[in-house]
Amino acid sequence: MTLTDIKKTIEQAVPNAIVHVLDPMNDGQHLEAIVISPAFEGMMLIKQHQLIMQALTKAFATSVHALGLKTFTPQKWELEKTTYGF
C-alpha cells in the first residue's frame, strides 16, 4: 500500500479531513499520519484514533509495519502546525 493509498483510505473514513502521510525513515514501513478534521471536535482522542485505525486495518495486515498517528481539530492544528514543520 502506498502513501497515497493510505491517505485516500483515511480521507474516505474521515470526510473533509486534511491528511498528511509521511515516511520519515524512508523505508516504507514506519509511517506517520497527521489528520486534521472538524469531525474530531468533542471526540475523545482514543475515538479519533480508533476511527482511523479501523479504516487502515487492511493496510496493516498487508504492508504497513508501524504508523504514528496525530489527530487535530482545525483550531488545535493552527496552534500546533509549526511544531510539525507546516
Side-chain angles (χ1 to χ4, degrees):
M1 181 169 264
T2 68
L3 299 181
T4 302
D5 293 335
I6 294 169
K7 183 178 189 291
K8 287 179 182 177
T9 300
I10 295 170
E11 288 171 341
Q12 290 173 351
V14 187
N16 300 316
I18 298 168
V19 181
H20 304 282
V21 181
L22 312 168
D23 186 359
M25 297 179 82
N26 294 316
D27 65 0
Q29 295 293 307
H30 298 85
L31 308 176
E32 293 182 6
I34 298 172
V35 184
I36 303 105
S37 175
F40 297 147
E41 292 286 346
M43 187 183 292
M44 291 177 43
L45 184 62
I46 189 75
K47 294 294 184 187
Q48 295 171 20
H49 288 208
Q50 286 173 343
L51 176 67
I52 295 164
M53 295 309 289
Q54 287 172 355
L56 291 172
T57 299
K58 181 179 177 184
F60 274 96
T62 59
S63 63
V64 178
H65 175 70
L67 178 71
L69 185 57
K70 302 285 185 186
T71 54
F72 300 93
T73 62
Q75 189 174 36
K76 187 172 179 186
W77 177 245
E78 284 303 312
L79 299 172
E80 299 283 335
K81 67 183 178 183
T82 56
T83 304
Y84 297 94
F86 289 88

